[in-house]
Amino acid sequence: MFRLLLILLAAAVLYLLTWPVPVDPVAWEAPEDAGYVGDFAANDALADLERIDIAPWHGPEDVAVDRVGNLYTGTEDGKILRIAGDGTVSEFADTGGRPLGLEFDADGNLLVANAYLGLQSVDAGGAVTLLTDEVEGSPIRYADDVDVAPDGRIYFSDASTKFGASEYDSTYGASLLDILEHGSHGRVLVYDPTTGETGTVMAGLDFANGVAVDRAGRFLLVNETGTYRVLKHWLAGPRAGETEILIDNLPGFPDNINPGEDGRFWVGLVSPRSAQLDSLSGRPLLRKIVQRLPEALRPAAVPSTHVFAIDAEGNVVANLQGDGTKLHAVTGAVETRDALYLTSLFGTAIGRVPPP
């Protein structure tokens, strides 16, 4: 019996040390988490959030608003839904993949960052066109968010060039692998509709997520989810091509970022930080062992209901939180003159509150 126990123990150790896993973790030092204090102090500002139900569809990860006030959102099964002013929900288009970031261009076409297929455009009749699925011979494996500059160029993120969303079962599953590895596989791309060419703007990011272009086209903001920060990349002026950290050491994982009114940019913190994951940041071997554990024992995202706004200098100008009873796993916020719409990674509703 004792011998059998030794054999089982040896087998378990061998498994934990040698079993192949898709991640090859890189050592880094996570900043000390200050938690929900100061600009991010806990509150119940979203207690009166109103739900816009889209059931039976799931996963309204982003929202776009057309010129007459209709809402558009994507779903886990690849659909684009249109929500009229009276709340009527209808299917507008089928993208054939997983639509994440949405944005209208100047001609009224709906641009879609399709995590499985690349960058798409949907016309007013719902016809879907693939704009690009590669850059310089490199496939786009996880198109995540999109925004349009005043000159018409389309900026979008490719969250991970290693962990493609379609290859790892889901956008969520692929994101967990990329963040655990911390291998700097993310990038931001630009598509020029006049030439049909796609280029690289930024590379070496740890899960490149939300993107937002300044209304004047001066700079681009990018959420680097794996390092809890927002980057500012200059597009014009004497600093064109330079990148700086706009705000860092956030208390959660930043997902979408959208330009709002009066120079605000809205960021969604889809989940609070994991103390367990932070403690393993400088221990790549242990992170590899963690990936060999049963899924229930690995660090996982804890859905939260939290959006905040910053100005162009990175100052926090709004901090809105809820308890998750009405909406959870909130990815971001889209602001109009009349409302602030909150989006969700897993839910069956879009949230709506008055604008600040």
Side-chain angles (χ1 to χ4, degrees), residues 26-72:
V26 176
W28 71 293
E29 291 302 321
E32 183 177 353
D33 183 11
Y36 290 86
V37 298
D39 288 333
F40 299 105
N43 62 60
D44 61 354
L46 296 175
D48 296 328
L49 178 146
E50 175 189 354
R51 285 169 52 91
I52 303 173
D53 191 21
I54 66 164
W57 293 282
H58 295 258
E61 207 271 350
D62 196 12
V63 159
V65 185
D66 69 15
R67 293 166 182 167
V68 297
N70 295 314
L71 303 182
Y72 295 77

Side-chain angles (χ1 to χ4, degrees), residues 8 18 39 43 52 61 87 91 104 135 150 173 202 223 247 286 295 299 309:
L8 291 175
T18 64
D39 288 333
N43 62 60
I52 303 173
E61 207 271 350
E91 289 189 19
F104 280 101
V135 54
M202 303 168 67
N223 286 348
I247 184 171
L286 286 180
E295 185 175 355

Side-chain angles (χ1 to χ4, degrees), residues 79-151:
K79 303 297 192 298
I80 301 291
L81 306 180
R82 176 164 51 201
I83 306 167
D86 62 1
T88 302
V89 181
S90 59
E91 289 189 19
F92 171 65
D94 188 342
T95 68
R98 176 44 166 131
L100 296 179
L102 305 175
E103 191 68 38
F104 280 101
D105 66 16
D107 296 322
N109 299 305
L110 182 63
L111 301 170
V112 180
N114 190 317
Y116 295 171
L117 299 175
L119 181 66
Q120 298 173 316
S121 176
V122 186
D123 68 17
V128 180
T129 301
L130 178 67
L131 298 180
T132 179
D133 60 1
E134 67 174 21
V135 54
E136 299 164 353
S138 172
I140 297 166
R141 304 179 73 183
Y142 197 143
D144 198 317
D145 197 18
V146 61
D147 202 5
V148 186
D151 62 6

Side-chain angles (χ1 to χ4, degrees), residues 41-348:
N43 62 60
D44 61 354
L46 296 175
D48 296 328
L49 178 146
E50 175 189 354
R51 285 169 52 91
I52 303 173
D53 191 21
I54 66 164
W57 293 282
H58 295 258
E61 207 271 350
D62 196 12
V63 159
V65 185
D66 69 15
R67 293 166 182 167
V68 297
N70 295 314
L71 303 182
Y72 295 77
T73 192
T75 67
E76 287 180 350
D77 64 355
K79 303 297 192 298
I80 301 291
L81 306 180
R82 176 164 51 201
I83 306 167
D86 62 1
T88 302
V89 181
S90 59
E91 289 189 19
F92 171 65
D94 188 342
T95 68
R98 176 44 166 131
L100 296 179
L102 305 175
E103 191 68 38
F104 280 101
D105 66 16
D107 296 322
N109 299 305
L110 182 63
L111 301 170
V112 180
N114 190 317
Y116 295 171
L117 299 175
L119 181 66
Q120 298 173 316
S121 176
V122 186
D123 68 17
V128 180
T129 301
L130 178 67
L131 298 180
T132 179
D133 60 1
E134 67 174 21
V135 54
E136 299 164 353
S138 172
I140 297 166
R141 304 179 73 183
Y142 197 143
D144 198 317
D145 197 18
V146 61
D147 202 5
V148 186
D151 62 6
R153 288 189 293 177
I154 302 166
Y155 292 86
F156 64 105
S157 54
D158 186 11
S160 177
T161 58
K162 179 175 181 178
F163 300 103
S166 64
E167 300 161 62
Y168 288 92
D169 297 330
S170 69
T171 57
Y172 177 66
S175 70
L176 292 181
L177 291 172
D178 191 272
I179 290 171
L180 182 67
E181 177 165 304
H182 206 85
S184 303
H185 304 301
R187 57 188 176 179
V188 176
L189 309 175
V190 60
Y191 174 79
D192 188 338
T194 62
T195 64
E197 296 180 353
T198 307
T200 302
V201 179
M202 303 168 67
L205 305 180
D206 284 296
F207 204 78
N209 207 323
V211 295
V213 181
D214 165 51
R215 297 298 191 195
R218 299 167 300 171
F219 56 82
L220 171 75
L221 300 187
V222 181
N223 286 348
E224 191 177 15
T225 303
T227 45
Y228 323 122
R229 65 187 185 182
V230 181
L231 303 177
K232 184 177 187 177
H233 182 83
W234 290 92
L235 300 174
R239 299 187 60 189
E242 295 182 17
T243 303
E244 63 184 86
I245 299 171
L246 185 64
I247 184 171
D248 63 355
N249 201 16
L250 296 171
F253 292 91
D255 198 316
N256 291 347
I257 184 168
N258 289 296
E261 301 294 325
D262 303 322
R264 288 186 290 266
F265 293 87
W266 286 96
V267 179
L269 292 181
V270 69
S271 171
R273 284 169 56 174
S274 164
Q276 181 185 13
L277 188 60
D278 280 353
S279 70
L280 295 173
S281 64
R283 299 173 173 84
L285 177 59
L286 286 180
R287 301 214 307 278
K288 202 165 192 176
I289 291 173
V290 164
Q291 185 58 34
R292 297 184 178 111
L293 296 174
E295 185 175 355
L297 298 179
R298 301 176 205 156
V302 178
S304 64
T305 305
H306 187 184
V307 296
F308 69 93
I310 53 176
D311 62 19
E313 283 70 50
N315 302 303
V316 177
V317 296
N319 170 43
L320 311 179
Q321 299 179 39
D323 62 9
T325 56
K326 295 183 178 179
L327 199 70
H328 68 281
V330 171
T331 53
V334 174
E335 184 181 8
T336 69
R337 287 291 181 186
D338 302 317
L340 187 69
Y341 296 98
L342 277 62
T343 52
S344 170
L345 183 61
F346 302 122
T348 59

